[in-house]
Amino acid sequence: MKRKNYAGIDFFRFFAALLVIAIHTAPLSFWNNDLDFLLTYCFGRIAVPFFLMTTGYFVLAPHVLNGFGKKETMHRYLIKNTGLYLAATAFYFPLMLYSHNLPHSIAEFLKSLLFDGTFYHLWYFPAAVIGCNLILFFAARSMKSAVIFSAAAYITGLLGDSCYGLVKDLPIISDLYDGIFQISSYTRNGIFFTPVFLLLGVFIAIPGLCCSKKACIRGICISLPLLFLEGFLTYSAKLQKHNSMYFFLLPVMYFLFQLLLTIPGKAPAWLRNCSMLIYIIHPAVIVLLRGIAKTANLTSLLVDNTLMHYFCVCLLSVAIVTGIRFLLERRSVYVSKRTRLD
């Protein structure tokens, strides 16, 4: 797929990274837990599926739709994603050591490495790799196989996530989920969660499966309120084991992603990389801010006030990422000059 200017996608990457920070800071819980749940743990759940769909659209689609050619982009993505995961794991290792959060057995190590993430937000990286490989495995047989697997996996995951209360006491089925939760703490992982969104990204790359801009707007206007309703009902009925997977998240993402593709213009290139860096470093920033607040005796303002806490984490994360980019660019210029002189 020829790379065009995707301003809507690139700007939304940054917004999605800020939504992930909201999920880990619950910004409105200081005032109202129900409102915070609706905005953070319903609407905010569009962030990770969006990142997965960008991978499906820009990485998987060119590979799958060209008869599994163009392997270089696919291989480069898998290598880069794995490298980022290992680098982020090394970055968070001192914090894991300090908090006594290291695995106590080989089984625990494999569980965290492959499914839960070596740090709580890093689950995304192995999930994306596993999901990509599963889509490639089934799509190599037929696209129908990929669709059936992804749909069945997502429904299975949904029943172990926001609708867990419906099945947790059922004979045999409850034993099945008990077994799943021995391997992975949540069904939000590379087997149950990521394949369907990766595949949605692939399908949107097929012109015949796209909707008009007007249809996308109508689709969002219908499916987004239904997502809020689904989330609130499963939350208020105490059905949720977790709150990452909703049925109406699928149509919301299908229409939203297409709508973002229609936005013309060119976003700054740095947005694509900054969003991932913000995603990686923001938990460390949360820890840093808590330490600063405690030292300065400002915990009530910078931590207990969750909205202020959220804004401070966002600002600090963006500032640190901007500083990192500045240093990397200066180093690149320096190396380039030295190379020319040599």
Side-chain angles (χ1 to χ4, degrees):
M1 183 182 301
K2 187 177 179 181
R3 185 70 162 97
K4 301 185 295 183
N5 294 326
Y6 293 98
I9 296 294
D10 289 337
F11 278 116
F12 201 83
R13 291 176 197 265
F14 184 76
F15 178 64
L18 300 185
L19 285 179
V20 172
I21 296 177
I23 289 169
H24 296 146
T25 55
L28 299 179
S29 60
F30 185 69
W31 286 280
N32 189 292
N33 283 322
D34 291 342
L35 180 61
D36 183 70
F37 177 83
L38 287 174
L39 293 181
T40 305
Y41 301 105
C42 288
F43 180 74
R45 289 306 183 187
I46 68 177
V48 172
F50 165 78
F51 286 126
L52 292 168
M53 289 177 71
T54 60
T55 299
Y57 186 85
F58 292 110
V59 180
L60 272 173
H63 181 53
V64 172
L65 302 180
N66 285 281
F68 297 92
K70 298 187 177 181
K71 295 181 180 179
E72 298 80 10
T73 303
M74 189 74 245
H75 290 164
R76 192 160 57 244
Y77 169 79
L78 293 175
I79 291 170
K80 179 183 177 181
N81 206 61
T82 303
L84 275 173
Y85 184 38
L86 295 176
T89 297
F91 175 74
Y92 280 101
F93 182 79
L95 196 54
M96 290 187 284
L97 190 64
Y98 174 77
S99 60
H100 305 287
N101 201 27
L102 293 174
H104 296 94
S105 66
I106 294 177
E108 279 189 24
F109 171 72
L110 291 174
K111 180 180 179 182
S112 64
L113 184 69
L114 297 176
F115 297 110
D116 290 355
T118 47
F119 206 69
Y120 64 84
H121 68 308
L122 298 181
W123 68 271
Y124 172 84
F125 293 99
V129 170
I130 291 171
C132 282
N133 281 293
L134 285 171
I135 291 297
L136 291 175
F137 175 80
F138 285 100
R141 283 140 185 84
S142 70
M143 288 301 290
K144 182 179 179 181
S145 298
V147 170
I148 292 172
F149 166 75
S150 299
Y154 192 78
I155 291 169
T156 303
L158 179 70
L159 290 172
D161 191 270
S162 62
C163 294
Y164 182 59
L166 297 175
V167 301
K168 68 182 181 68
D169 296 320
L170 296 178
I172 302 177
I173 295 178
S174 62
D175 293 335
L176 170 66
Y177 281 99
D178 287 343
I180 290 172
F181 295 134
Q182 289 295 315
I183 299 169
S184 175
S185 297
Y186 305 104
T187 51
R188 175 217 61 189
N189 57 40
I191 296 175
F192 302 107
F193 179 72
T194 62
V196 72
F197 293 110
L198 291 166
L199 195 60
L200 272 181
V202 174
F203 282 159
I204 289 172
I206 303 172
L209 297 179
C210 293
C211 301
S212 66
K213 184 176 181 180
K214 186 177 291 186
C216 288
I217 293 172
R218 288 174 179 169
I220 291 173
C221 289
I222 294 170
S223 58
L224 188 58
L226 290 173
L227 172 63
F228 283 124
L229 179 62
E230 179 187 3
F232 186 75
L233 289 177
T234 54
Y235 165 71
S236 57
K238 302 186 185 305
L239 298 178
Q240 298 184 345
K241 176 180 174 64
H242 197 48
N243 46 44
S244 291
M245 304 175 74
Y246 299 108
F247 175 80
F248 284 104
L249 190 57
L250 298 174
V252 167
M253 295 312 303
Y254 175 71
F255 294 119
L256 175 62
F257 196 86
Q258 290 181 75
L259 191 61
L260 292 171
L261 288 172
T262 67
I263 297 175
K266 184 177 181 180
W270 58 265
L271 275 178
R272 289 194 292 275
N273 295 324
C274 276
S275 60
M276 185 53 69
L277 284 175
I278 290 170
Y279 181 94
I280 290 172
I281 72 162
H282 78 270
V285 174
I286 291 173
V287 175
L288 175 64
L289 183 62
R290 287 176 177 271
I292 292 172
K294 185 177 180 180
T295 302
N297 199 26
L298 293 172
T299 299
S300 59
L301 175 65
L302 299 181
V303 178
D304 295 340
N305 185 325
T306 53
L307 186 60
M308 179 65 73
H309 181 60
Y310 168 71
F311 283 132
C312 289
V313 172
C314 289
L315 289 172
L316 264 177
S317 298
V318 172
I320 291 171
V321 167
T322 302
I324 291 171
R325 282 194 55 82
F326 175 76
L327 292 174
L328 289 175
E329 288 173 1
R330 289 293 297 270
R331 181 180 179 277
S332 178
V333 171
Y334 174 76
V335 170
S336 179
K337 287 181 179 178
R338 286 295 300 268
T339 303
R340 287 199 299 270
L341 288 174
D342 293 341

